[in-house]
């Protein structure tokens, strides 16, 4: 799929890109192909929170997806299933949403203040309105989703297994 060699990397890092990838199977196939045996992957990812179950909440997440230009937001079970499918050993998993949630609150307050006090912010936001993508609304929706437990933010690491030694035939 790309010009990278097989087993070229000792480690791969991915920061907040998983939600932008429509074909996650293909992504993990490439990670497995390009990662050396015993290589590590470290990722941070937006995931659906445990409260993302009702149809209303799913529509809310679809709106966040459109505004943030995400392909979709996986949940932790989907992500862990993909890691298992490609034989990764999960070595670390941290739900960092509480820390991230504070950042979004600060962002919302600062944007609101600047919109109230600076004309250039108001002009930028109103001229950036394009159908379903309106940055202030996306920021507000994301913050509320964290507050309600609809979104979570995880940081995790996993290890690709060593290659199994070929079984040599027994002499007869």
């Amino acid at each position: 799929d790309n010009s990278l060699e097989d087993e070229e990397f000792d480690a791969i890092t991915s920061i907040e890109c998983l939600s932008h990838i429509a074909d996650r199977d293909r992504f993990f196939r490439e990670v497995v192909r390009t990662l050396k045996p015993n290589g590590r992957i470290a990722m941070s990812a937006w995931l659906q929170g445990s409260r993302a179950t009702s149809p209303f909440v799913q529509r809310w997440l679809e709106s966040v997806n459109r505004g943030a230009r995400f392909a979709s937001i996986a949940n932790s079970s989907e992500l862990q299933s993909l890691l298992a499918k490609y034989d990764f050993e999960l070595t670390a998993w941290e739900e960092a949403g509480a820390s991230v949630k504070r950042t979004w609150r600060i962002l919302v307050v600062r944007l609101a203040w600047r919109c109230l006090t600076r004309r250039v912010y108001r002009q930028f936001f109103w001229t950036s309105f394009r159908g379903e993508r309106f940055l202030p609304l996306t920021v507000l929706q994301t913050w509320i989703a964290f507050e309600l437990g609809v979104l979570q933010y995880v940081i995790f690491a996993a290890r690709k297994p060593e290659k199994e030694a070929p079984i040599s035939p027994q002499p007869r």
Side-chain angles (χ1 to χ4, degrees):
D1 285 329
N2 57 48
S3 61
L4 301 172
E5 298 292 325
D6 291 354
E7 299 181 352
E8 186 171 352
F9 300 106
D10 294 314
I12 295 174
T13 304
S14 168
I15 300 172
E16 297 182 3
C17 79
L18 194 64
S19 297
H20 296 281
I21 298 171
D23 190 347
R24 294 188 184 111
D25 255 328
R26 181 176 170 199
F27 170 78
F28 278 102
R29 278 194 309 271
E30 282 299 293
V31 169
V32 167
R33 186 184 68 75
T34 58
L35 198 58
K36 292 178 182 176
N38 205 31
R40 312 285 176 159
I41 181 170
M43 295 181 73
S44 63
W46 303 87
L47 297 178
Q48 291 183 29
S50 59
R51 296 183 181 169
T53 55
S54 75
F56 171 78
V57 170
Q58 288 300 312
R59 284 191 301 277
W60 182 282
L61 283 176
E62 287 170 14
S63 179
V64 172
N65 282 343
R66 285 188 304 272
R69 295 187 178 171
F70 289 158
S72 68
I73 303 173
N75 63 43
S76 60
S77 296
E78 291 172 79
L79 180 54
Q80 290 181 18
S81 292
L82 274 169
L83 291 168
K85 177 179 179 178
Y86 292 101
D87 295 325
F88 278 99
E89 173 194 346
L90 191 61
T91 58
W93 183 277
E94 179 185 349
E95 208 306 303
S99 298
V100 172
K101 180 170 55 172
R102 287 192 301 268
T103 303
W104 282 94
R105 182 188 174 282
I106 291 166
L107 179 61
V108 165
V109 169
R110 287 182 181 173
L111 281 176
W113 178 250
R114 285 188 175 82
C115 283
L116 290 171
T117 60
R118 296 187 184 164
R119 184 175 177 209
V120 68
Y121 276 77
R122 290 188 299 274
Q123 287 175 328
F124 170 76
F125 287 134
W126 292 119
T127 58
S128 70
F129 181 71
R130 302 231 184 347
E132 296 189 25
R133 180 168 161 74
F134 183 51
L135 182 60
L137 180 59
T138 301
V139 169
L140 184 61
Q141 287 174 321
T142 304
W143 173 54
I144 292 170
F146 270 116
E147 289 293 330
L148 297 176
V150 173
L151 273 181
Q152 67 179 146
Y153 189 85
V154 297
I155 302 168
F156 67 93
R159 184 182 67 81
K160 179 181 173 179
E162 293 276 354
K163 279 187 175 177
E164 292 183 19
I167 300 172
S168 53
Q170 298 293 324
R172 292 184 185 214

